[in-house]
Amino acid sequence: MSTREQEALELIERVRAQPPRFRDPQVTMAHGAGGKATWTLIEGLLAPALGLETLADAAVLDGLALTTDSFVVKPLRFPGGSIGDLAVNGTVNDLAVTGARPLALTLSLVLEEGLSADELRFEIDAVAAAADVAGVRVVGGDTKVVERGRCDGMYVTTTGLGRLDERGRLDPTALRPGDRILVSGHVGEHGVAIMLARGEFELAAEVRSDTRPLWAAVDALLEAAGPMLRCVRDATRGGVASVLNELARASGVAALVREAAVPIAAPVVGACEILGIDPLYVANEGVLVAFVAPEAAEKALAALRDVPGCEHAAEIGVVKSEPPGLVLVETAFGGRRVMDMLVGDPLPRIC
Amino acid sequence: MSTREQEALELIERVRAQPPRFRDPQVTMAHGAGGKATWTLIEGLLAPALGLETLADAAVLDGLALTTDSFVVKPLRFPGGSIGDLAVNGTVNDLAVTGARPLALTLSLVLEEGLSADELRFEIDAVAAAADVAGVRVVGGDTKVVERGRCDGMYVTTTGLGRLDERGRLDPTALRPGDRILVSGHVGEHGVAIMLARGEFELAAEVRSDTRPLWAAVDALLEAAGPMLRCVRDATRGGVASVLNELARASGVAALVREAAVPIAAPVVGACEILGIDPLYVANEGVLVAFVAPEAAEKALAALRDVPGCEHAAEIGVVKSEPPGLVLVETAFGGRRVMDMLVGDPLPRIC
């Protein structure tokens, strides 16, 4: 590493060592994007005020996990899915990557006055169908209505209750040098599908959202690797890059990603090149990142590839000891660059 | 009862006997008001599509209860409270009236771009303070941001997990003729406080929201009446009238309310008279209605009055066998009228 690179890394580390503070005078779209601004909002304002260590998925009591998510995706329907199944899969997946088998969901709706009954019925049916596929029951809900224009059709909040699986103990601070980094499938599809569905770009590519439940994948990983499965995360807002940054930081290790090993479908590669975005920052709604001890990595990857929807799973990198807290990418041409947390909001209201 | 009254009752019963169907072409404000339209939306569309008997508070598994609520109250702050403590107390109370001791909450925020950091901090502090008073932990959350104008500052969804108390088995179908009907305090304060806070009426009355956690009240009732406590409900959207209608229908009994026995503070009486609304339809956020077997009613009422905030608790009526499913009010002048479910939406976005 050159002296200049070394200095840049030291600066990043110094900045990161400071406790985050929320200094913005008001909320911006970037606070919802899952990157640096979201992190500052959560760690600098919400978590301290609520007396939480972090505002992430939370195991609560007696082996149960409870997690919540609001969905404000725009448009409501897009190739491959809609807000209804996104709301089910998103929350089911938050449970799954906590190592909890999903048991029950609640569904809370904020509806816009004037929303057509057909649209509402379509989404409720989508919720029911997705819950069925995910093997989870919707056990209760709530409905509120706001005036025309005060919402975009509907906002949906789901909360999931799950039971922690005893085969593993997933922990974001458990990453160790040598651990292998797996992803469960093609990355970047959800974000690109939404971008194209908005029609803001003149691209003819056919990309479908990857929205799907991930408990089967986590189940397979737990079965194959047991306690050697260190941690799992679904790569939603902020993409794979944000997951790697978050966990490298939590465990005080580095993550080294081989760019050429990341599975990406050709239309997504093409769309990202034209749009000038890095697919590793693009949101997924059915892709997880798993960290596995080296001795179990091969078996875990094979098990993952046997899960329907995870045929393209791949090992994309390895955990290193240095530099702690950073994510480095080895480019196809043999270069190396730091892949930091997402800054700003390239794509608002992705989920 | 006169023949005409009898005919009117028979008509109401016939209409009610039909399974509800959601026929509206689109969502209206009334669907969020907690009255007839809400009931049609839930029972006619949401519940059947989701395979639920009803979309009410739900006990899930192994003695646990899970419940969710979205809050869209306008304005965000009002005399006596704000959306932050409303979101905690509302969900804590849904658990409490299910007979479940609140254990944990999740908090999901939809924030409007441009919301001031001070306003956000104020509400998060309100959430933390209310959770502290209610003895419940906030264990996780989520934040989304939508563009300016697509939300009113913030919408808040809380989900609560509680443990069912073994002293009683609260059941909306358990009401029996002779049961006494108790309310835990002055009715109508939250709704009137919101109405006045909006400044749409030229009324100088000082009315504060009654937002408060109700587990202590349910705890006292369970301790005093045990299994003779039939059912408890908090009288939120649609007020005491809607609770009585819902439970009379669920149990196939009548409820007879003595209007003069209903505790109402003078400023609320005055405001309701001027506004031409019936305080029994006005939302409360810290008042419960309890149904108690006659032999335990006196002890239950005394226990309730010992709970801070419930000093004005009163017995307001009795359960009768006829006419099943209806609520009758005995006016101060000795007359009787049917008090049906709320129709339309006299006060949108009350919670």
Side-chain angles (χ1 to χ4, degrees), chain A residues 58 70 108 139 144 147 159 349, chain B residues 58 70 139 144 147 159 349:
Chain A
S70 288
S108 201
V139 296
K144 294 292 189 319
E147 299 86 350
T159 305
R349 300 186 47 191
Chain B
S70 288
V139 297
K144 293 293 189 314
E147 299 85 351
T159 304
R349 299 185 49 190

Side-chain angles (χ1 to χ4, degrees), chain A:
Chain A
M1 210 173 280
S2 71
T3 316
R4 235 183 106 225
E5 272 184 310
Q6 192 59 44
E7 280 172 6
L9 288 180
E10 281 170 12
L11 177 63
I12 291 176
E13 284 179 57
R14 265 210 311 284
V15 170
R16 285 186 173 181
Q18 294 167 4
R21 289 179 62 179
F22 187 79
R23 297 168 192 274
D24 306 82
Q26 55 184 34
V27 172
T28 66
M29 293 307 290
H31 290 117
K36 267 195 177 157
T38 305
W39 184 75
T40 309
L41 170 63
I42 293 173
E43 305 285 329
L45 195 162
L46 301 179
L50 296 169
L52 286 169
E53 278 183 35
T54 177
L55 208 68
D57 316 326
V60 210
L61 63 134
D62 298 347
L64 294 170
L66 193 65
T67 182
T68 194
D69 250 330
S70 288
F71 295 84
V72 299
V73 67
K74 189 167 73 169
L76 295 179
R77 298 193 212 178
F78 42 83
S82 71
I83 195 170
D85 39 30
L86 211 59
V88 171
N89 291 336
T91 289
V92 158
N93 291 349
D94 279 347
L95 289 175
V97 299
T98 307
R101 180 185 295 272
L103 297 173
L105 283 186
T106 60
L107 174 73
S108 201
L109 304 169
V110 175
L111 305 177
E112 183 183 7
E113 178 188 21
L115 175 72
S116 85
D118 288 344
E119 196 115 23
L120 175 59
R121 202 173 273 119
F122 180 92
E123 295 306 337
I124 300 301
D125 287 343
V127 165
D132 196 46
V133 171
V136 70
R137 277 197 310 146
V138 179
V139 296
D142 182 48
T143 309
K144 294 292 189 319
V145 181
V146 295
E147 299 86 350
R148 218 175 276 266
R150 291 297 173 184
C151 169
D152 258 338
M154 65 176 81
Y155 300 149
V156 181
T157 303
T158 49
T159 305
L161 180 69
R163 184 171 299 284
L164 287 172
D165 193 285
E166 289 178 357
R167 286 169 292 175
R169 179 185 291 258
L170 309 183
D171 176 358
T173 69
L175 275 52
R176 294 291 170 266
D179 287 351
R180 299 299 193 267
I181 306 169
L182 313 181
V183 298
S184 66
H186 282 152
V187 310
E189 293 180 349
H190 178 72
V192 170
I194 295 290
M195 239 176 296
L196 297 179
R198 289 198 190 144
E200 293 162 7
F201 305 99
E202 297 288 333
L203 277 179
E206 168 64 20
V207 178
R208 294 168 63 83
S209 167
D210 61 332
T211 175
R212 76 167 60 82
L214 286 170
W215 171 249
V218 175
D219 190 29
L221 286 167
L222 284 167
E223 193 59 31
M228 282 183 285
L229 182 64
R230 312 285 200 200
C231 189
V232 183
R233 281 292 158 94
D234 55 337
T236 55
R237 283 184 291 181
V240 171
S242 297
V243 168
L244 294 174
N245 268 281
E246 193 193 329
L247 295 191
R249 198 175 291 197
S251 287
V253 296
L256 179 63
V257 173
R258 291 185 310 278
E259 200 166 45
V262 178
I264 316 183
V268 171
V269 173
C272 285
E273 267 175 20
I274 292 167
L275 302 170
I277 54 176
D278 183 338
L280 286 169
Y281 286 105
V282 175
N284 312 276
E285 290 293 337
V287 173
L288 60 76
V289 184
F291 300 81
V292 191
E295 57 271 34
E298 201 177 323
K299 194 175 165 200
L301 180 58
L304 201 48
R305 284 188 174 150
D306 279 345
V307 175
C310 300
E311 295 81 1
H312 300 286
E315 184 183 314
I316 63 164
V318 62
V319 174
K320 298 277 190 186
S321 56
E322 295 287 334
L326 288 190
V327 180
L328 300 172
V329 178
E330 234 170 43
T331 66
F333 310 105
R336 258 189 199 199
R337 58 186 165 83
V338 174
M339 187 165 70
D340 203 358
M341 287 186 89
L342 185 67
V343 179
D345 189 0
L347 188 55
R349 300 186 47 191
I350 190 79
C351 61

Side-chain angles (χ1 to χ4, degrees), chain B residues 178-200:
Chain B
D179 287 351
R180 299 300 192 267
I181 305 169
L182 314 181
V183 297
S184 65
H186 283 151
V187 311
E189 294 181 348
H190 177 72
V192 170
I194 295 289
M195 239 176 296
L196 298 180
R198 290 197 189 144
E200 292 161 7

